[in-house]
Amino acid sequence: MRGLREIYREFRPIIWVLWMVAAARLAMDASAEDEKSAFMMSVYAGSAILFLYNGITGAMDHLGFKRVLLGGLTVAVMCWTVPNTISYTVAQFAGWTHGRFYVDPQEDALYEKYRDEGLGFFEAREKVEEQLGHWNTRAASPADTTGGKIANGLMMGAFTTIAGAVWCLVTGSLLLGVPMSLRRRRG
């Protein structure tokens, strides 16, 4: 537990900055109907920039490679799970279907039809994609019940956390770990 607290303490400035980016992104999603303006406010880009800055300055060289990887996972959980669960749950309650919350009405109708026929999540999606030739929907359609809305927000938070974890492990390894290793070999 102490090791996790140390990692959190080291990565806390990155986490706080990324929370600010996520909050700005949510505010832009709330006020903009198009994705182009909100696209610039990305936790993916923000984390890469912060990892690159810390990799260049060597500010986290004292951690070691294993702690950099654990820190990347900590950033993923804190900066994808928490903000995206909040954002996607707010989108469910607000009925947003634009930008990163886009739901194609034609795809959604077909998807629901196939789900009602007993197909699973992925099978129904494949069938829709096969029939229409595309899948443009980016998030779960707004649910009818409060529990459904919360469940959809949690599901999207979990899915984005997986993507965020992969992103943080790759960019953390490349942008923090590689420069750290090179400096250690030279020193």
Side-chain angles (χ1 to χ4, degrees):
M1 194 66 169
R2 190 182 67 134
L4 192 56
R5 272 190 291 223
E6 288 176 23
I7 289 170
Y8 173 74
R9 188 176 56 247
E10 293 291 335
F11 282 84
R12 185 175 41 203
I14 292 172
I15 291 167
W16 287 356
V17 169
L18 294 178
W19 278 352
M20 287 185 270
V21 170
R25 175 75 189 261
L26 179 60
M28 292 178 84
D29 285 331
S31 63
E33 290 292 321
D34 67 340
E35 185 178 87
K36 291 182 176 92
S37 59
F39 184 71
M40 297 182 324
M41 297 302 293
S42 168
V43 174
Y44 288 98
S47 61
I49 290 167
L50 292 169
F51 286 164
L52 179 63
Y53 172 77
N54 283 292
I56 289 171
T57 62
M60 295 187 164
D61 283 1
H62 63 282
L63 292 178
F65 203 77
K66 288 180 185 176
R67 287 191 174 182
V68 164
L69 292 177
L70 283 172
L73 288 175
T74 303
V75 168
V77 168
M78 298 299 288
C79 298
W80 271 267
T81 305
V82 174
N84 282 337
T85 299
I86 292 168
S87 295
Y88 283 96
T89 304
V90 166
Q92 285 284 311
F93 282 99
W96 295 341
T97 57
H98 65 277
R100 65 178 162 157
F101 313 109
Y102 179 70
V103 176
D104 186 310
Q106 188 180 17
E107 291 172 356
D108 191 44
L110 270 175
Y111 176 78
E112 289 303 322
K113 178 185 148 211
Y114 291 133
R115 290 287 293 181
D116 290 342
E117 290 175 3
L119 291 178
F121 176 84
F122 294 107
E123 294 86 8
R125 181 181 168 171
E126 284 176 16
K127 196 132 173 144
V128 170
E129 193 170 0
E130 186 179 291
Q131 186 171 347
L132 296 177
H134 59 79
W135 181 267
N136 296 323
T137 297
R138 303 174 119 201
S141 60
D144 296 330
T145 65
T146 300
K149 291 176 188 302
I150 293 169
N152 282 347
L154 288 168
M155 177 187 67
M156 292 304 298
F159 286 159
T160 58
T161 300
I162 293 166
V166 171
W167 177 257
C168 285
L169 288 174
V170 170
T171 57
S173 296
L174 293 174
L175 302 176
L176 285 173
V178 170
M180 175 184 61
S181 296
L182 292 174
R183 277 191 289 274
R184 284 186 175 183
R185 284 187 186 151
R186 277 192 250 153

